Amino acid sequence: MSKFSNLLKLLILLKSKKRIKAKELANDLGVSERMIRKYMNDLAEANINVESIPGPTGGYELIGYDYMLNLDIKPEEAISLQMATTYLKECDHFDLKLQLESLNEKIKILNESCNELDDYSDNIVIKPKSSNLDKESKFELEIQAACISKKKLRIKYVSVSSGETERTIHPYGIITRNNLKYLVAYCENREKELTFKLMRITQVGVLNNTFDLPSSFNIKEFMKNHLGLFHDENYNLKLLINKPFSQAVSEGLYAENQEIKWINSETIIFEGKMSGKPDIIRWILSMRTSVTVIEPRVLRDEIKEELKKMLETI
């Protein structure tokens, strides 16, 4: 494991557990206690304050403003920066356009959940925002820490089919799908790997028991068959898009090697390579009668079949 990776995991453990002993950190990260002390010196050099508290209940504790893990950027602040960047791009007397755009991009990367400009226009929102981000974030750090230290969890989870149930799980990792977060874990109750939507977890308890991650398990392969993540099939899309979506699509980046050509003031030809068929179909259907699929024919036929099924259920 690289030093950089261990430092990030160390920060997550400190953030999650509030106070933790050097021996426990060493066990969780698979290094010596001497190395843990070296890591603490590295963090101090980066102005990240970790206090060593002596005594039986002591340990390492993160002190002060944790700028690396939480910039505390409010949604309205991120939105105002984006709007200012858009406005000042057209201003002839502002000489710091490139620097402002660079800052805006960094803020968007660090604070994606605050990127809500789409809500102020007719832009297409491909990725839905979680209706309750507080529920997602409530247990995330605790779960991340358990993934790192290979600790079993006892959770309460609300499923659509069976309501709230208590489960004992082996947490493998957290992934993001369409701005919603999922935990990939082995469920002892069901005796198989499952995905758990974070916002449906109502209670988390960390157990003292540890687990071994199966050497044969590959999260990328697993997600190919669950939620459609990491889909390998690529499509070379060619779409004819009319108003009101043509302008919004022309301003965004949706595909690899994307090319956009204006046919007239209201219509564009969109071309680009995309993967993940369910997402592509959902995006195309969201534009309703404003889009025509020119290529590929196989995708056009699948969308037709999907529309037929929708009509049958109405």
Side-chain angles (χ1 to χ4, degrees), residues 51-300:
E51 185 174 338
S52 178
I53 300 170
T57 61
Y60 287 112
E61 185 174 320
L62 198 61
I63 302 297
Y65 186 53
D66 179 15
Y67 64 89
M68 286 194 71
L69 292 180
N70 179 17
L71 288 177
D72 195 28
I73 300 168
K74 296 179 176 60
E76 57 271 22
E77 292 173 334
I79 292 169
S80 65
L81 178 61
Q82 288 178 264
M83 295 178 72
T85 303
T86 302
Y87 172 76
L88 289 170
K89 281 172 69 175
E90 307 300 325
C91 181
D92 295 330
H93 306 293
F94 185 68
D95 298 327
L96 300 175
K97 295 178 186 178
L98 292 178
Q99 292 87 340
L100 183 61
E101 286 184 48
S102 176
L103 173 62
N104 185 38
E105 289 304 312
K106 290 176 181 177
I107 294 296
K108 284 165 68 178
I109 291 169
L110 289 170
N111 207 64
E112 286 184 353
S113 65
C114 293
N115 181 14
E116 296 182 5
L117 266 188
D118 290 338
D119 297 340
Y120 290 86
S121 67
D122 291 328
N123 290 2
I124 302 162
V125 182
I126 297 180
K127 295 183 177 181
K129 297 173 176 61
S130 171
S131 60
N132 196 332
L133 292 174
D134 290 338
K135 283 187 177 181
E136 283 196 342
S137 60
K138 183 177 182 180
F139 303 114
E140 184 177 358
L141 275 170
E142 198 169 3
I143 293 170
Q144 289 279 24
C147 293
I148 293 168
S149 56
K150 301 292 188 294
K151 292 283 182 70
K152 293 184 181 181
L153 295 175
R154 182 167 291 125
I155 66 170
K156 287 187 177 180
Y157 185 75
V158 179
S159 68
V160 177
S161 57
S162 53
E164 187 176 69
T165 57
E166 187 173 272
R167 305 165 185 243
T168 300
I169 61 171
H170 308 178
Y172 291 171
I174 292 175
I175 54 91
T176 301
R177 163 73 165 175
N178 290 338
N179 279 357
L180 297 175
K181 294 179 181 178
Y182 297 82
L183 170 63
V184 179
Y186 175 82
C187 178
E188 291 187 358
N189 305 60
R190 300 279 295 276
E191 297 184 338
K192 63 178 182 179
E193 282 89 11
L194 297 170
T195 56
F196 298 91
K197 189 177 286 188
L198 254 63
M199 65 184 304
R200 291 184 184 170
I201 297 175
T202 59
Q203 186 174 311
V204 171
V206 182
L207 305 179
N208 290 325
N209 312 64
T210 59
F211 66 90
D212 293 320
L213 183 67
S215 58
S216 59
F217 181 81
N218 183 299
I219 195 166
K220 184 174 180 179
E221 291 297 320
F222 175 78
M223 295 314 299
K224 280 184 183 179
N225 302 314
H226 297 75
L227 307 178
L229 283 184
F230 306 111
H231 203 289
D232 290 331
E233 189 174 3
N234 290 311
Y235 294 90
N236 291 311
L237 285 182
K238 187 173 183 180
L239 308 175
L240 179 72
I241 304 174
N242 296 305
K243 191 179 177 181
F245 296 100
S246 52
Q247 184 64 44
V249 173
S250 72
E251 294 170 348
L253 182 62
Y254 299 91
E256 186 180 342
N257 302 322
Q258 175 177 308
E259 290 186 14
I260 291 174
K261 180 180 178 182
W262 283 92
I263 304 301
N264 54 50
S265 61
E266 297 185 349
T267 307
I268 62 170
I269 293 287
F270 172 95
E271 293 187 75
K273 181 184 289 185
M274 296 179 72
S275 63
K277 184 168 62 177
D279 288 336
I280 296 172
I281 292 177
R282 183 169 63 247
W283 177 47
I284 291 173
L285 289 177
S286 73
M287 289 185 278
R288 304 183 294 278
T289 57
S290 296
V291 62
T292 301
V293 180
I294 301 173
E295 295 176 1
R297 182 182 294 273
V298 62
L299 186 64
R300 185 174 63 189

Side-chain angles (χ1 to χ4, degrees), residues 3-4 6-15 25 29 35-51 60-63 66-69:
K3 179 180 177 180
F4 179 73
N6 271 347
L7 282 171
L8 287 178
K9 289 182 176 181
L10 177 61
L11 282 170
I12 291 172
L13 290 170
L14 287 168
K15 181 88 170 177
L25 282 170
L29 297 179
M35 184 59 72
I36 293 296
R37 289 192 290 273
K38 176 67 170 63
Y39 289 162
M40 294 303 172
N41 290 334
D42 292 337
L43 292 178
E45 289 181 9
N47 294 322
I48 299 172
N49 299 314
V50 181
E51 185 174 338
Y60 287 112
E61 185 174 320
L62 198 61
I63 302 297
D66 179 15
Y67 64 89
M68 286 194 71
L69 292 180

